[in-house]
Amino acid sequence: MSADALAAPYPDTAGHFGRFGGRFVPEALVAALDELDGAWRTAMADESFRGEFAALLRDYAGTPSLLYPAERLSAKLGARVLLKREDLNHTGAHKVRNVLGQALLTKRMGKRRVIAETGAGQHGVASATAAALFDLECVVYMGEVDTERQALNVARMRMLGATVVPVTTGSRTLKDAMNEAMRDWVANVDETHYLIGTAAGPHPFPAMVRDFVRGIGDEARQQCLDQIGRLPDAVAACVGGGSNALGIFHAFVGDADVRLYGFEAGGDGVETGKHAASITGGSTGVLHGTRTYVLQDADGQTVESHSISAGLDYPGVGPEHAWLHDSGRATYTPVTDTEAMAAFELLCRTEGIIPAIESAHALAGAVQIAPKLAAELGREPVILINLSGRGDKDVHTAGEYFGILDKEQ
Amino acid sequence: MSRIGVAFDKARADGRAVLVGCMPAGFPTVEGSIAAMTAMVEAGVDVIEVEIPYSDPVMDGPVIQKASDIALAGGVRTADALRIIEAVAATGAPVVTMTYWNPVERYGVDAFARDLAAAGGTGLITPDLIPDEAQEWLAASDAHGLDRTFLVSPSSTDQRLAMTVQHCRGFVYATAVMGVTGARARTSDAAPILVSRTREVTDLPVGVGLGVGTGAQAATVAGYADGVIVGSALVRCVLDAPDRAAGLTALRTLSAELADGVRNPTR
């Protein structure tokens, strides 16, 4: 990891990405956020922290992840497709990078307890993993509806020693789990770190999480240069809260010729209202401590999101994406459940890789942009796709979707 | 001076604290919440705090969350909350509004301030808006003559305490405990310290909220604070009641007990 993260122009010192970001939190949390901000900046400037983090990423998480030239998929798309294989990381997704960074910081701040929110359970499992590794107490808030849908991940977290608290308020899903984690944090902030799972929430979380996952893009950029001698024409990633997308985008923001594409969860279609596309189908608002694009009604009440992908099923998005969208540097487009599942099947059958349904949204997006890019460039485009997670957790959902489960299963 | 300031001055002259009672707008219905708040005023609550229900209330404990959910499920809207404020203000009691920030931002900050002032509201308590992010609200509240109550917390540094009270008008809200709303078995040890720290940096009255639910607790808090803010315990009277009449009776009884408490401060 390079030290130039802090030299980046955004966010400002108060966490603003243009008109987005900032801190919309109870005063009780400000001291802890300031403490975290200071600890993060100090750590990122400290050789020993960076060395420790780099060693963990290499020896424990298994990074740098491979950059794989997917030839059969390339032939189908009419594009040269490079897959950034974050699915091969320990715990099965890019998220391990973020939790290892935050767990290291928790230790440095002298805190002994971490709390986390989780939707599908992936961030909860990653948090429980890091907590076990660092001998931290871990409490994971999970919507009651999700604990039922994702019983295996609940078991995984418990095996790793975490306490899973089902949240029974509101819509009983991810956003309510986040509310409950915030309430816990307000009450126990002295000894507790809130390990937020994505590049959202109050400052410094969006910038800090981005810095912990930016290795995805740093690695991929160098791998591209090494393997094909040039940069890609486009980078594609799925966007829920948006950490995997920022992780791969960040290294390319300054490369004006590299197009950045974020694919949001379009659910049944943005026009149906049943989706999780906060940028394409939402409006500016404040949610979970930050100003960003939010799914909300005319009175500013949060509207429930819908997606076949639990990891993208969130009614907000990290503020840096909102800013990248407004600035025109990145393009955000919705991908429906149907389109994502077609791409899911395509990758299974062409490359023998079962992707997370989240990542299948990035693949589906690449399917859509490939012919447009080819026409625009007058040649075969190079598309770098962040394969952010593996599909083991989604086998049941996908099995039901494709109708291939035997009845008793 | 604002109407809230007048209420605090009058109470101070009487050697007692102001009693602030909170109820979510539209809980259990629009009509029901007006009746509840009117009953609270009649039973001795000095200032009514109308909370605008919000889908993601991170500073609220289970009782107010549930009441907010009921209000929202009943279809209450921001415009209804403004009508409720107007109706309660007509009783003569000062009405302060508590709201998370997104509903205000969605309504339009200046438009909300204008309509709140027109409805007779005195100002806003903003649990998730800190002065650092409040430029638009500072301007709108100045333009429409509204009070601004930001929160101070036991974890606030001296520097933040001084900065926060500088932006307050009307009164300062001191959160007694590190935590969310909800009645607690005992009052906080941190609260008296926070109140005295706050008084070192401002002459504004200081109200204490979070965890106060009985007359005895109100008397204890009245011993060191200018205002006693009660929410969850009052909401529970309505939430737990078998019918509307029983809820209003319970509400009157508790309001009177609390009103008695603030008149007999434990010193």
Side-chain angles (χ1 to χ4, degrees), chain B residues 46-69:
Chain B
D46 300 300
V47 173
I48 297 293
E49 175 187 334
V50 178
E51 177 164 345
I52 298 182
Y54 177 53
S55 52
D56 298 274
V58 294
M59 266 301 282
D60 282 308
V63 171
I64 294 184
Q65 283 174 48
K66 190 161 183 199
S68 298
D69 280 350

Short mmCIF file of all heavy atoms in Angstrom, two decimals, chain B residues 46-69:
data_model
loop_
_atom_site.label_atom_id
_atom_site.label_comp_id
_atom_site.label_asym_id
_atom_site.label_seq_id
_atom_site.Cartn_x
_atom_site.Cartn_y
_atom_site.Cartn_z
N ASP B 46 -44.90 21.57 31.14
CA ASP B 46 -44.71 22.97 30.76
C ASP B 46 -44.47 23.15 29.26
O ASP B 46 -44.94 24.11 28.66
CB ASP B 46 -43.49 23.54 31.49
CG ASP B 46 -43.65 23.48 33.00
OD1 ASP B 46 -44.61 24.09 33.50
OD2 ASP B 46 -42.84 22.80 33.66
N VAL B 47 -43.65 22.29 28.71
CA VAL B 47 -43.25 22.42 27.31
C VAL B 47 -43.49 21.08 26.62
O VAL B 47 -43.13 20.03 27.15
CB VAL B 47 -41.75 22.79 27.19
CG1 VAL B 47 -41.29 22.76 25.74
CG2 VAL B 47 -41.46 24.15 27.83
N ILE B 48 -44.11 21.12 25.45
CA ILE B 48 -44.34 19.88 24.71
C ILE B 48 -43.29 19.74 23.61
O ILE B 48 -43.03 20.67 22.86
CB ILE B 48 -45.75 19.87 24.07
CG1 ILE B 48 -46.83 19.89 25.16
CG2 ILE B 48 -45.93 18.64 23.18
CD1 ILE B 48 -46.92 18.66 26.04
N GLU B 49 -42.68 18.56 23.60
CA GLU B 49 -41.71 18.24 22.55
C GLU B 49 -42.39 17.28 21.58
O GLU B 49 -42.73 16.15 21.94
CB GLU B 49 -40.47 17.59 23.18
CG GLU B 49 -39.45 17.11 22.17
CD GLU B 49 -38.30 16.32 22.83
OE1 GLU B 49 -38.01 16.53 24.03
OE2 GLU B 49 -37.73 15.46 22.15
N VAL B 50 -42.65 17.74 20.37
CA VAL B 50 -43.28 16.90 19.36
C VAL B 50 -42.19 16.26 18.50
O VAL B 50 -41.41 16.97 17.86
CB VAL B 50 -44.21 17.73 18.45
CG1 VAL B 50 -44.84 16.86 17.36
CG2 VAL B 50 -45.31 18.38 19.29
N GLU B 51 -42.12 14.95 18.54
CA GLU B 51 -41.09 14.28 17.73
C GLU B 51 -41.70 13.90 16.39
O GLU B 51 -42.75 13.26 16.32
CB GLU B 51 -40.56 13.02 18.44
CG GLU B 51 -39.54 12.26 17.58
CD GLU B 51 -38.69 11.24 18.34
OE1 GLU B 51 -38.66 11.28 19.60
OE2 GLU B 51 -38.06 10.39 17.69
N ILE B 52 -41.03 14.28 15.31
CA ILE B 52 -41.49 13.88 13.98
C ILE B 52 -41.02 12.44 13.74
O ILE B 52 -39.83 12.18 13.81
CB ILE B 52 -40.94 14.83 12.90
CG1 ILE B 52 -41.48 16.25 13.16
CG2 ILE B 52 -41.34 14.35 11.49
CD1 ILE B 52 -41.07 17.28 12.15
N PRO B 53 -41.94 11.51 13.53
CA PRO B 53 -41.52 10.11 13.38
C PRO B 53 -40.61 9.93 12.17
O PRO B 53 -40.81 10.57 11.14
CB PRO B 53 -42.83 9.35 13.17
CG PRO B 53 -43.92 10.29 13.50
CD PRO B 53 -43.39 11.68 13.35
N TYR B 54 -39.61 9.05 12.34
CA TYR B 54 -38.65 8.80 11.27
C TYR B 54 -38.37 7.31 11.19
O TYR B 54 -38.35 6.62 12.21
CB TYR B 54 -37.36 9.60 11.56
CG TYR B 54 -36.24 9.37 10.56
CD1 TYR B 54 -36.45 9.53 9.19
CD2 TYR B 54 -34.97 9.01 10.99
CE1 TYR B 54 -35.42 9.32 8.28
CE2 TYR B 54 -33.93 8.80 10.09
CZ TYR B 54 -34.16 8.95 8.73
OH TYR B 54 -33.15 8.75 7.84
N SER B 55 -38.15 6.84 9.99
CA SER B 55 -37.97 5.40 9.76
C SER B 55 -36.71 4.82 10.40
O SER B 55 -36.66 3.63 10.68
CB SER B 55 -37.92 5.13 8.25
OG SER B 55 -36.96 5.98 7.62
N ASP B 56 -35.70 5.65 10.65
CA ASP B 56 -34.42 5.15 11.15
C ASP B 56 -33.91 5.96 12.34
O ASP B 56 -32.88 6.61 12.26
CB ASP B 56 -33.40 5.14 10.01
CG ASP B 56 -33.84 4.20 8.88
OD1 ASP B 56 -33.54 3.01 8.98
OD2 ASP B 56 -34.53 4.66 7.96
N PRO B 57 -34.65 5.90 13.46
CA PRO B 57 -34.33 6.77 14.60
C PRO B 57 -33.20 6.23 15.48
O PRO B 57 -33.45 5.56 16.49
CB PRO B 57 -35.66 6.82 15.37
CG PRO B 57 -36.31 5.49 15.10
CD PRO B 57 -35.83 5.05 13.73
N VAL B 58 -31.95 6.55 15.14
CA VAL B 58 -30.81 5.92 15.83
C VAL B 58 -30.60 6.39 17.26
O VAL B 58 -29.86 5.75 17.99
CB VAL B 58 -29.49 6.09 15.04
CG1 VAL B 58 -29.55 5.36 13.72
CG2 VAL B 58 -29.16 7.55 14.82
N MET B 59 -31.21 7.51 17.65
CA MET B 59 -31.03 7.95 19.04
C MET B 59 -32.17 7.47 19.95
O MET B 59 -32.21 7.80 21.12
CB MET B 59 -30.94 9.48 19.10
CG MET B 59 -29.52 10.03 19.07
SD MET B 59 -28.45 9.46 20.42
CE MET B 59 -29.01 10.50 21.78
N ASP B 60 -33.11 6.73 19.38
CA ASP B 60 -34.27 6.32 20.17
C ASP B 60 -34.23 4.86 20.56
O ASP B 60 -33.85 3.99 19.77
CB ASP B 60 -35.56 6.62 19.42
CG ASP B 60 -35.93 8.09 19.50
OD1 ASP B 60 -35.98 8.61 20.64
OD2 ASP B 60 -36.16 8.72 18.46
N GLY B 61 -34.65 4.60 21.79
CA GLY B 61 -34.77 3.24 22.31
C GLY B 61 -36.06 2.59 21.82
O GLY B 61 -36.81 3.17 21.04
N PRO B 62 -36.31 1.36 22.30
CA PRO B 62 -37.42 0.56 21.77
C PRO B 62 -38.81 1.18 21.89
O PRO B 62 -39.63 1.01 20.99
CB PRO B 62 -37.34 -0.75 22.58
CG PRO B 62 -36.23 -0.60 23.56
CD PRO B 62 -35.47 0.64 23.26
N VAL B 63 -39.08 1.93 22.97
CA VAL B 63 -40.44 2.47 23.18
C VAL B 63 -40.76 3.51 22.10
O VAL B 63 -41.80 3.43 21.44
CB VAL B 63 -40.58 3.07 24.59
CG1 VAL B 63 -41.90 3.80 24.73
CG2 VAL B 63 -40.46 1.97 25.65
N ILE B 64 -39.87 4.47 21.92
CA ILE B 64 -40.16 5.52 20.92
C ILE B 64 -40.05 4.96 19.50
O ILE B 64 -40.79 5.37 18.60
CB ILE B 64 -39.27 6.76 21.17
CG1 ILE B 64 -39.68 7.37 22.51
CG2 ILE B 64 -39.39 7.77 20.03
CD1 ILE B 64 -38.99 8.65 22.89
N GLN B 65 -39.15 3.97 19.30
CA GLN B 65 -39.10 3.32 17.97
C GLN B 65 -40.46 2.72 17.63
O GLN B 65 -40.96 2.86 16.52
CB GLN B 65 -38.11 2.16 17.98
CG GLN B 65 -36.65 2.54 17.90
CD GLN B 65 -35.78 1.30 18.06
OE1 GLN B 65 -36.02 0.28 17.42
NE2 GLN B 65 -34.79 1.38 18.92
N LYS B 66 -41.04 2.03 18.63
CA LYS B 66 -42.32 1.36 18.37
C LYS B 66 -43.42 2.38 18.09
O LYS B 66 -44.21 2.22 17.15
CB LYS B 66 -42.69 0.48 19.58
CG LYS B 66 -43.85 -0.43 19.30
CD LYS B 66 -43.92 -1.57 20.29
CE LYS B 66 -45.06 -2.49 19.91
NZ LYS B 66 -45.47 -3.35 21.04
N ALA B 67 -43.44 3.45 18.90
CA ALA B 67 -44.45 4.48 18.70
C ALA B 67 -44.27 5.15 17.32
O ALA B 67 -45.26 5.42 16.63
CB ALA B 67 -44.36 5.52 19.82
N SER B 68 -43.02 5.38 16.94
CA SER B 68 -42.76 5.99 15.63
C SER B 68 -43.23 5.07 14.50
O SER B 68 -43.81 5.52 13.51
CB SER B 68 -41.27 6.28 15.45
OG SER B 68 -40.82 7.19 16.41
N ASP B 69 -42.95 3.77 14.66
CA ASP B 69 -43.39 2.79 13.66
C ASP B 69 -44.91 2.81 13.51
O ASP B 69 -45.44 2.76 12.40
CB ASP B 69 -42.95 1.37 14.06
CG ASP B 69 -41.48 1.09 13.71
OD1 ASP B 69 -40.88 1.92 13.01
OD2 ASP B 69 -40.96 0.05 14.15
#
